[in-house]
Amino acid sequence: MRIVCIGGGPAGLYFGLLMKKLHPAHRITVVERNRAYDTFGWGVVFSDATMAAMKVWDPESAAEIEDAFNHWDDIEVWFKGTRQRTSGHGFVGIGRKKLLNILQTRCEALGVELLFETDVDSDLDFADADLIIASDGFNSKIRNRYEEVFQPDLVTRPNRYIWLGTKKLYDAFTFDFRKSEHGWFQAHIYKFDAETSTFIVETTEEAYQAHRLGDLDQQGSIDFCENLFSEVLDGAELMTNARHLRGSAWLNFNRLICGRWSHFNGKSHVVLMGDAAHTAHFAIGSGTKLAIDDAIELTRQFQEHGHQADKIPAVLEVYEQVRRVDVARIQNAARNAMEWFEVVGRRYADTLEPEQFMYSMLTRSQRISHENLRLRDKAWLEGYERWFARKSDLTISDNGRCLPPMFTPYTLRGTTLPNRVVVSPMAMYSATDGLLGDFHLVHLGARAMGGAGLVFGEMTCVSPDARITPGCLGLWNEDQAAGWRRLVQFVHGNSAAKVGIQIGHAGRKGATKLAWDGIDQPLQEGGWPLLSASALPYLKNSQVPKAMDRADMDRVLADFVRTTELAASTGADWLELHCAHGYLLSSFLSPLTNQRTDEYGGSHEARARYPLEVFAAVRAAWPQDKPISVRLSCNDWTEGGNTPEDAAIFAGMFKAAGADLIDCSSGQVSKEEKPVYGRLFQTPFSDKIRNEIGIATIAVGAISEADHANSIIAAGRADLCAVARPHLADPAWALHEAGKIGLTSIPWPKPYLSAKSQFEANLARAGGAG
């Protein structure tokens, strides 16, 4: 084949040398606009996995690259007058120029033609090429030429950064956080050769503008950074190699995703590679990794399908399918890390203590979890666990393992939970006339005995016409309260768990069939009139609700107060007001469901007015020594609906009204929603509200392991973790998860003690306890 790689970065060079090595008959040219053995940039970071793959595909260049590597295991964080260090992280760095020089030499040795000082404007300049690799970087002219084909999705991120270097050498990947008079700045620092370290400085747009950094020339920006980071520089100077750029060297990161990666231009197949196809933020150092992995995977597909020109279409199709998955995974992790740095000042640096700030930073991408940190640096993590346990008022010795965060107690008002695990409210549709019966006693009692700290019943409705289905729980009369008393007495008498009652009104989503008979489908008979903020049905075939007038509001508010008084009489420990998922109070909060033109519609304050009226009445009726949480839909996942920013505004209002905690869920407001699911996908909402609004939170959604819960709570992303479906599958989820992480000190119910040792022994034999 005739192959042309446009762009002599890592992707183009590495693909060229691999293909030439494996099939010398190929005629391969790499075209580069820079001079021979010249490039811009400081150091780049590799992953161990990519290096291992390079050793397999081309041991010769891998050995030379590895010889030039600078390896370090430690991360050091400078923050608020402290220096914290942890080990076991396994980074390798190399100068970008050195890396490219090694790959250029290897290409020449294999017979790849290198064409320097040549700027390519069009792929059509190489009409004889069977395959053209568009590896010409983020500003790819080739990709831009076929924009309608490649469908680039480009987002300019808000933070500013400047990429500098210094002759001071650092023996750890160092992060330095400094607060100026106008905001926080952070430096990302790592050594990449025997003489030089990369020194990236990042800040918000607000701080950038307030300091008028855009008005400075490059030397002015260097002087500013040297002054701000003088302690970590310790007299060393900063350098730039971006003198070719005009004006300020401060840049915005651009996130790029392409809808397609390949195209046939009529003569040649063109495929994007490296930064021309995708970008990932420098916060996890993955740009070079992605480029090298692209080159390896495309080569692998030629090896499997054949090195003939007629195989190119099949190769490119499979290549894109395979790489999309890994690229998406890396981009998601990079996005998490990038967003952490974008909000680090207001969300973390201003609020967290240095110990928790360090933990939050280490786990920012969500690729590194609690137990992964234990593998990397057991001594550091156990020290952090002791610090966290002491913050929970536990008496802890100075050595050895203590309770991990999810198993530490948590106190709100006069209620102390034995641990941070919550059985999430989950609709069971198994009540008759709203009565809590034997099913609920067994269901909820088993989960309390299974080790959870707080057990919620499903949404408990405040009146017969507040129910979602005829099978929903209610609490509007004394018989129903008696059933709750029975449950509370059982839980308190047979476990350390506390009992929570979530109260709510279905609104426009009421009078529907049981879930297994047709979720959200209206009852054919036996239904009841519905209320909502506006007269908008949930489904096209749903009953049209009445837009509430003042008399309706007064009646429903009185229903909530009566239910609260009955709940207090049961001895329950915790109350939650349901303002999420499109139910009645949620319908006032969301602009998708609230189209009122009176004082209860329009602005955030107006839309929250009635839910806050209800909350104030409920808070007044509930014992002052017991907490109340509020469940919010923190993202409607629908254009025109509430966003996490809106949810934070509402959370602040409920906090001011006396709420103790926000239960951070999302969605179910509109059937047009398009949620982005994934592991811990709703935790960022909890993180934002907890650390920006300053109120305790519950995280919920795709939390299925102790490792998830420990990571969330330890990082301060939530105070409690609500676990739903895993608790349906395993009533003793909390006890079993403790065993899986090797924690044997958590007590089991006495009648079950004989099973505890056997369970733990079986885990040990299976290698499941760590």
Side-chain angles (χ1 to χ4, degrees):
M1 288 187 295
R2 172 74 173 113
I3 300 172
V4 176
C5 300
I6 301 174
L13 288 169
Y14 201 63
F15 179 72
L17 76 85
L18 290 183
M19 290 292 283
K20 190 67 173 179
K21 172 185 176 180
L22 294 169
H23 203 287
H26 291 320
R27 182 186 165 203
I28 302 174
T29 302
V30 177
V31 186
E32 169 57 43
R33 65 178 180 174
N34 292 324
R35 294 173 296 177
Y37 293 91
D38 190 14
T39 187
F40 297 100
W42 296 104
V44 296
V45 178
F46 268 51
S47 73
D48 290 341
T50 297
M51 194 67 242
M54 294 178 76
K55 289 179 181 178
V56 172
W57 284 91
D58 187 46
E60 292 83 356
S61 60
E64 195 171 351
I65 291 169
E66 195 166 36
D67 285 343
F69 266 149
N70 284 270
H71 183 275
W72 64 94
D73 285 317
D74 292 1
I75 291 176
E76 184 168 274
V77 175
W78 295 45
F79 178 65
K80 290 182 178 178
T82 68
R83 291 175 63 177
Q84 301 177 80
R85 183 179 284 235
T86 176
S87 191
H89 299 282
F91 295 99
V92 286
I94 186 174
R96 176 176 169 82
K97 181 174 182 178
K98 180 66 173 178
L99 171 65
L100 296 186
N101 291 169
I102 291 171
L103 297 180
Q104 289 163 355
T105 300
R106 179 66 173 149
C107 280
E108 290 177 330
L110 290 168
V112 175
E113 179 188 10
L114 300 182
L115 189 59
F116 292 102
E117 298 183 73
T118 303
D119 207 350
V120 178
D121 291 320
S122 171
D123 51 302
L124 299 179
D125 293 346
F126 305 94
D128 63 333
D130 299 299
L131 177 65
I132 294 176
I133 307 297
S135 53
D136 50 341
F138 169 74
N139 294 310
S140 171
K141 293 181 179 179
I142 309 304
R143 185 195 67 235
N144 293 338
R145 178 183 178 86
Y146 301 108
E147 188 170 349
E148 73 286 354
V149 174
F150 293 124
Q151 303 165 32
D153 177 10
L154 179 65
V155 176
T156 299
R157 301 303 303 186
N159 267 18
R160 297 277 187 159
Y161 71 94
I162 184 169
W163 203 296
L164 304 170
T166 179
K167 291 297 182 181
K168 179 175 171 59
L169 301 180
Y170 295 82
D171 63 350
F173 201 128
T174 302
F175 295 92
D176 188 8
F177 296 84
R178 300 282 162 171
K179 190 172 187 179
S180 74
E181 60 182 316
H182 296 301
W184 286 87
F185 287 72
Q186 56 265 7
H188 311 237
I189 314 164
Y190 56 90
K191 182 177 70 171
F192 65 84
D193 64 24
E195 300 177 345
T196 324
S197 298
T198 290
F199 202 103
I200 307 169
V201 178
E202 183 181 11
T203 192
T204 62
E205 179 70 15
E206 293 77 12
Y208 170 83
Q209 294 292 350
H211 283 287
R212 303 182 65 87
L213 295 175
D215 296 338
L216 302 179
D217 60 14
Q218 292 187 40
Q219 189 57 50
S221 291
I222 288 173
D223 293 342
F224 174 86
C225 293
E226 285 180 348
N227 179 64
L228 185 62
F229 293 100
S230 59
E231 184 180 3
V232 76
L233 282 167
D234 192 25
E237 296 181 347
L238 291 173
M239 308 176 294
T240 181
N241 60 8
R243 300 293 183 188
H244 61 293
L245 296 178
R246 294 181 179 179
S248 172
W250 293 85
L251 305 170
N252 291 90
F253 175 75
N254 293 286
R255 191 274 292 141
L256 171 67
I257 300 172
C258 288
R260 288 188 59 190
W261 292 4
S262 63
H263 170 60
F264 182 66
N265 67 13
K267 295 184 178 180
S268 310
H269 291 276
V270 181
V271 60
L272 304 178
M273 193 177 286
D275 282 352
H278 42 65
T279 58
H281 193 262
F282 56 80
I284 64 170
S286 53
T288 302
K289 167 189 167 52
L290 287 175
I292 294 294
D293 289 349
D294 282 352
I296 290 174
E297 187 57 44
L298 187 54
T299 303
R300 187 197 318 276
Q301 294 306 323
F302 276 112
Q303 284 290 90
E304 292 186 5
H305 288 81
H307 282 257
Q308 297 79 37
D310 63 353
K311 305 295 185 184
I312 294 176
V315 165
L316 296 184
E317 181 179 355
V318 178
Y319 161 74
E320 183 171 339
Q321 290 175 358
V322 172
R323 286 298 295 146
R324 274 197 183 280
V325 174
D326 191 50
V327 168
R329 180 179 60 83
I330 296 296
Q331 284 186 320
N332 286 340
R335 182 196 66 231
N336 293 335
M338 171 187 68
E339 291 177 350
W340 190 92
F341 282 107
E342 288 174 351
V343 299
V344 65
R346 69 177 184 272
R347 188 177 297 180
Y348 307 115
D350 282 335
T351 59
L352 299 183
E353 296 181 58
E355 292 84 355
Q356 192 164 50
F357 182 87
M358 173 79 161
Y359 186 101
S360 177
M361 199 213 72
L362 291 174
T363 58
R364 65 193 182 277
S365 73
Q366 296 186 19
R367 290 196 304 171
I368 297 176
S369 67
H370 196 77
E371 293 306 315
N372 186 263
L373 285 172
R374 196 182 309 279
L375 292 174
R376 291 167 183 254
D377 193 340
K378 181 179 179 182
W380 180 87
L381 183 68
E382 290 185 350
Y384 180 73
E385 287 179 333
R386 289 192 291 273
W387 176 87
F388 192 95
R390 290 187 181 110
K391 297 293 290 184
S392 302
D393 295 326
L394 294 177
T395 301
I396 302 296
S397 65
D398 289 332
N399 50 52
R401 185 174 183 179
C402 69
L403 290 175
M406 69 180 280
F407 287 106
T408 59
Y410 183 71
T411 299
L412 266 182
R413 295 194 185 238
T415 298
T416 297
L417 307 181
N419 60 55
R420 313 295 185 102
V421 178
V422 178
V423 175
S424 193
M426 294 175 282
M428 294 290 103
Y429 307 114
S430 299
T432 301
D433 297 327
L435 291 168
L436 189 152
D438 289 347
F439 170 83
H440 303 92
L441 179 68
V442 174
H443 166 65
L444 296 172
R447 278 127 191 104
M449 295 177 66
L454 175 61
V455 177
F456 270 111
E458 63 203 82
M459 184 177 85
T460 302
C461 304
V462 299
S463 62
D465 62 348
R467 293 174 296 167
I468 309 166
T469 76
C472 289
L473 282 179
L475 188 51
W476 61 81
N477 62 42
E478 182 57 37
D479 288 343
Q480 294 161 345
W484 275 99
R485 289 190 195 99
R486 182 181 177 216
L487 173 69
V488 171
Q489 289 168 4
F490 177 86
V491 171
H492 287 172
N494 293 276
S495 75
K498 304 300 182 183
V499 178
I501 302 179
Q502 183 192 70
I503 61 173
H505 189 299
R508 71 175 188 154
K509 296 177 74 175
T512 62
K513 298 178 180 179
L514 304 183
W516 42 85
D517 292 332
I519 190 167
D520 295 326
Q521 294 302 312
L523 290 169
Q524 298 303 306
E525 55 184 34
W528 49 85
L530 303 181
L531 298 171
S532 191
S534 299
L536 301 170
Y538 184 54
L539 303 177
K540 291 181 180 179
N541 63 325
S542 295
Q543 180 188 149
V544 177
K546 176 189 176 186
M548 294 178 75
D549 58 26
R550 186 64 249 181
D552 297 320
M553 292 182 188
D554 291 341
R555 178 178 69 81
V556 171
L557 186 148
D559 290 341
F560 271 99
V561 171
R562 178 186 59 201
T563 293
T564 301
E565 293 170 344
L566 288 169
S569 76
T570 69
D573 309 284
W574 193 293
L575 196 71
E576 179 162 285
L577 184 64
H578 203 322
C579 297
H581 299 166
Y583 297 128
L584 183 66
L585 299 182
S586 169
S587 74
F588 278 86
L589 296 176
S590 175
L592 297 173
T593 49
N594 185 340
Q595 297 182 3
R596 302 174 72 100
T597 57
D598 62 4
E599 66 269 33
Y600 293 97
S603 67
H604 289 97
E605 292 76 14
R607 300 203 310 271
R609 181 169 283 119
Y610 183 62
L612 287 171
E613 288 178 8
V614 173
F615 177 84
V618 166
R619 178 68 269 182
W622 182 246
Q624 289 301 302
D625 64 337
K626 293 183 178 182
I628 298 183
S629 54
V630 176
R631 173 164 277 207
L632 290 179
S633 282
C634 297
N635 193 335
D636 287 348
W637 301 110
T638 310
E639 186 176 353
N642 282 332
T643 66
E645 287 68 33
D646 298 307
I649 293 171
F650 292 130
M653 294 178 181
F654 280 106
K655 175 188 175 183
D660 299 292
L661 185 145
I662 303 297
D663 188 352
C664 301
S665 188
S666 71
Q668 301 179 51
V669 173
S670 167
K671 276 295 185 182
E672 303 302 314
E673 68 182 8
K674 295 180 180 179
V676 180
Y677 294 113
R679 180 173 58 89
L680 317 184
F681 74 107
Q682 294 179 142
T683 298
F685 311 142
S686 168
D687 187 355
K688 177 182 180 67
I689 287 174
R690 182 185 189 273
N691 293 303
E692 292 185 14
I693 305 304
I695 185 170
T697 59
I698 301 177
V700 60
I703 301 169
S704 60
E705 302 172 8
D707 205 18
H708 297 163
N710 278 321
S711 300
I712 292 168
I713 294 164
R717 297 185 176 104
D719 299 274
L720 304 173
C721 284
V723 177
R725 293 176 186 178
H727 267 129
L728 293 182
D730 182 2
W733 180 85
L735 297 180
H736 291 160
E737 287 299 306
K740 289 177 183 177
I741 61 173
L743 189 65
T744 60
S745 61
I746 302 300
W748 284 38
K750 290 180 180 178
Y752 299 163
L753 275 177
S754 61
K756 181 176 184 291
S757 58
Q758 184 183 61
F759 177 78
E760 291 165 354
N762 288 341
L763 282 174
R765 279 195 292 271

